[in-house]
PDB file of all heavy atoms in Angstrom:
ATOM      1  N   ASP A   7       8.364 -14.307  -8.436  1.00 85.00           N
ATOM      2  CA  ASP A   7       8.331 -15.701  -8.872  1.00 85.00           C
ATOM      3  C   ASP A   7       8.005 -16.579  -7.670  1.00 85.00           C
ATOM      4  O   ASP A   7       8.276 -16.205  -6.525  1.00 85.00           O
ATOM      5  CB  ASP A   7       9.685 -16.090  -9.474  1.00 85.00           C
ATOM      6  CG  ASP A   7       9.568 -17.341 -10.357  1.00 85.00           C
ATOM      7  OD1 ASP A   7       8.430 -17.810 -10.581  1.00 85.00           O
ATOM      8  OD2 ASP A   7      10.605 -17.842 -10.811  1.00 85.00           O
ATOM      9  N   VAL A   8       7.425 -17.720  -7.941  1.00 87.00           N
ATOM     10  CA  VAL A   8       7.103 -18.680  -6.887  1.00 87.00           C
ATOM     11  C   VAL A   8       7.470 -20.047  -7.403  1.00 87.00           C
ATOM     12  O   VAL A   8       7.065 -20.427  -8.506  1.00 87.00           O
ATOM     13  CB  VAL A   8       5.589 -18.658  -6.559  1.00 87.00           C
ATOM     14  CG1 VAL A   8       5.271 -19.690  -5.500  1.00 87.00           C
ATOM     15  CG2 VAL A   8       5.157 -17.288  -6.094  1.00 87.00           C
ATOM     16  N   ARG A   9       8.269 -20.772  -6.631  1.00 86.00           N
ATOM     17  CA  ARG A   9       8.601 -22.131  -7.067  1.00 86.00           C
ATOM     18  C   ARG A   9       8.277 -23.124  -5.975  1.00 86.00           C
ATOM     19  O   ARG A   9       8.537 -22.874  -4.811  1.00 86.00           O
ATOM     20  CB  ARG A   9      10.083 -22.208  -7.442  1.00 86.00           C
ATOM     21  CG  ARG A   9      10.281 -21.455  -8.733  1.00 86.00           C
ATOM     22  CD  ARG A   9      11.557 -21.772  -9.437  1.00 86.00           C
ATOM     23  NE  ARG A   9      11.900 -20.581 -10.196  1.00 86.00           N
ATOM     24  CZ  ARG A   9      13.113 -20.112 -10.360  1.00 86.00           C
ATOM     25  NH1 ARG A   9      14.128 -20.747  -9.823  1.00 86.00           N
ATOM     26  NH2 ARG A   9      13.315 -19.019 -11.054  1.00 86.00           N
ATOM     27  N   LEU A  10       7.719 -24.227  -6.408  1.00 87.00           N
ATOM     28  CA  LEU A  10       7.356 -25.276  -5.465  1.00 87.00           C
ATOM     29  C   LEU A  10       8.081 -26.535  -5.884  1.00 87.00           C
ATOM     30  O   LEU A  10       8.035 -26.919  -7.046  1.00 87.00           O
ATOM     31  CB  LEU A  10       5.837 -25.492  -5.508  1.00 87.00           C
ATOM     32  CG  LEU A  10       5.289 -26.625  -4.639  1.00 87.00           C
ATOM     33  CD1 LEU A  10       5.438 -26.300  -3.161  1.00 87.00           C
ATOM     34  CD2 LEU A  10       3.812 -26.867  -4.961  1.00 87.00           C
ATOM     35  N   SER A  11       8.794 -27.154  -4.938  1.00 84.00           N
ATOM     36  CA  SER A  11       9.427 -28.420  -5.281  1.00 84.00           C
ATOM     37  C   SER A  11       9.130 -29.420  -4.190  1.00 84.00           C
ATOM     38  O   SER A  11       9.037 -29.069  -3.018  1.00 84.00           O
ATOM     39  CB  SER A  11      10.937 -28.228  -5.428  1.00 84.00           C
ATOM     40  OG  SER A  11      11.446 -27.705  -4.225  1.00 84.00           O
ATOM     41  N   SER A  12       8.923 -30.673  -4.589  1.00 80.00           N
ATOM     42  CA  SER A  12       8.777 -31.702  -3.564  1.00 80.00           C
ATOM     43  C   SER A  12      10.004 -32.588  -3.675  1.00 80.00           C
ATOM     44  O   SER A  12      10.510 -32.825  -4.764  1.00 80.00           O
ATOM     45  CB  SER A  12       7.492 -32.494  -3.763  1.00 80.00           C
ATOM     46  OG  SER A  12       7.467 -33.066  -5.039  1.00 80.00           O
ATOM     47  N   SER A  13      10.479 -33.020  -2.540  1.00 68.00           N
ATOM     48  CA  SER A  13      11.706 -33.813  -2.541  1.00 68.00           C
ATOM     49  C   SER A  13      11.352 -35.276  -2.764  1.00 68.00           C
ATOM     50  O   SER A  13      10.203 -35.634  -2.974  1.00 68.00           O
ATOM     51  CB  SER A  13      12.407 -33.646  -1.211  1.00 68.00           C
ATOM     52  OG  SER A  13      11.635 -34.284  -0.230  1.00 68.00           O
ATOM     53  N   THR A  14      12.353 -36.108  -2.674  1.00 64.00           N
ATOM     54  CA  THR A  14      12.108 -37.544  -2.811  1.00 64.00           C
ATOM     55  C   THR A  14      11.256 -38.046  -1.647  1.00 64.00           C
ATOM     56  O   THR A  14      10.518 -39.006  -1.781  1.00 64.00           O
ATOM     57  CB  THR A  14      13.443 -38.304  -2.824  1.00 64.00           C
ATOM     58  OG1 THR A  14      14.245 -37.769  -1.764  1.00 64.00           O
ATOM     59  CG2 THR A  14      14.148 -38.121  -4.152  1.00 64.00           C
ATOM     60  N   ASP A  15      11.352 -37.363  -0.531  1.00 66.00           N
ATOM     61  CA  ASP A  15      10.484 -37.693   0.594  1.00 66.00           C
ATOM     62  C   ASP A  15       9.091 -37.146   0.274  1.00 66.00           C
ATOM     63  O   ASP A  15       8.910 -35.940   0.168  1.00 66.00           O
ATOM     64  CB  ASP A  15      11.052 -37.014   1.857  1.00 66.00           C
ATOM     65  CG  ASP A  15      10.123 -37.192   3.055  1.00 66.00           C
ATOM     66  OD1 ASP A  15       9.057 -37.825   2.891  1.00 66.00           O
ATOM     67  OD2 ASP A  15      10.473 -36.700   4.130  1.00 66.00           O
ATOM     68  N   PRO A  16       8.115 -38.045   0.085  1.00 69.00           N
ATOM     69  CA  PRO A  16       6.795 -37.568  -0.341  1.00 69.00           C
ATOM     70  C   PRO A  16       6.115 -36.684   0.707  1.00 69.00           C
ATOM     71  O   PRO A  16       5.155 -35.994   0.409  1.00 69.00           O
ATOM     72  CB  PRO A  16       6.005 -38.848  -0.583  1.00 69.00           C
ATOM     73  CG  PRO A  16       6.705 -39.896   0.204  1.00 69.00           C
ATOM     74  CD  PRO A  16       8.155 -39.494   0.285  1.00 69.00           C
ATOM     75  N   GLY A  17       6.641 -36.722   1.929  1.00 78.00           N
ATOM     76  CA  GLY A  17       6.013 -35.926   2.985  1.00 78.00           C
ATOM     77  C   GLY A  17       6.650 -34.564   3.159  1.00 78.00           C
ATOM     78  O   GLY A  17       6.472 -33.928   4.186  1.00 78.00           O
ATOM     79  N   ALA A  18       7.457 -34.115   2.184  1.00 83.00           N
ATOM     80  CA  ALA A  18       8.117 -32.824   2.351  1.00 83.00           C
ATOM     81  C   ALA A  18       8.071 -32.034   1.054  1.00 83.00           C
ATOM     82  O   ALA A  18       8.002 -32.593  -0.034  1.00 83.00           O
ATOM     83  CB  ALA A  18       9.572 -33.027   2.787  1.00 83.00           C
ATOM     84  N   ALA A  19       8.068 -30.722   1.196  1.00 85.00           N
ATOM     85  CA  ALA A  19       8.093 -29.855   0.018  1.00 85.00           C
ATOM     86  C   ALA A  19       8.686 -28.513   0.430  1.00 85.00           C
ATOM     87  O   ALA A  19       8.755 -28.185   1.621  1.00 85.00           O
ATOM     88  CB  ALA A  19       6.690 -29.658  -0.551  1.00 85.00           C
ATOM     89  N   GLN A  20       9.113 -27.777  -0.560  1.00 85.00           N
ATOM     90  CA  GLN A  20       9.654 -26.449  -0.286  1.00 85.00           C
ATOM     91  C   GLN A  20       9.050 -25.453  -1.266  1.00 85.00           C
ATOM     92  O   GLN A  20       9.011 -25.692  -2.472  1.00 85.00           O
ATOM     93  CB  GLN A  20      11.169 -26.454  -0.434  1.00 85.00           C
ATOM     94  CG  GLN A  20      11.804 -25.146   0.012  1.00 85.00           C
ATOM     95  CD  GLN A  20      13.318 -25.194  -0.101  1.00 85.00           C
ATOM     96  OE1 GLN A  20      13.857 -25.353  -1.194  1.00 85.00           O
ATOM     97  NE2 GLN A  20      14.006 -25.086   1.020  1.00 85.00           N
TER      98      GLN A  20
END
Side-chain angles (χ1 to χ4, degrees):
D7 199 6
V8 178
R9 289 197 208 142
L10 176 68
S11 58
S12 57
S13 69
T14 45
D15 174 0
Q20 187 178 62

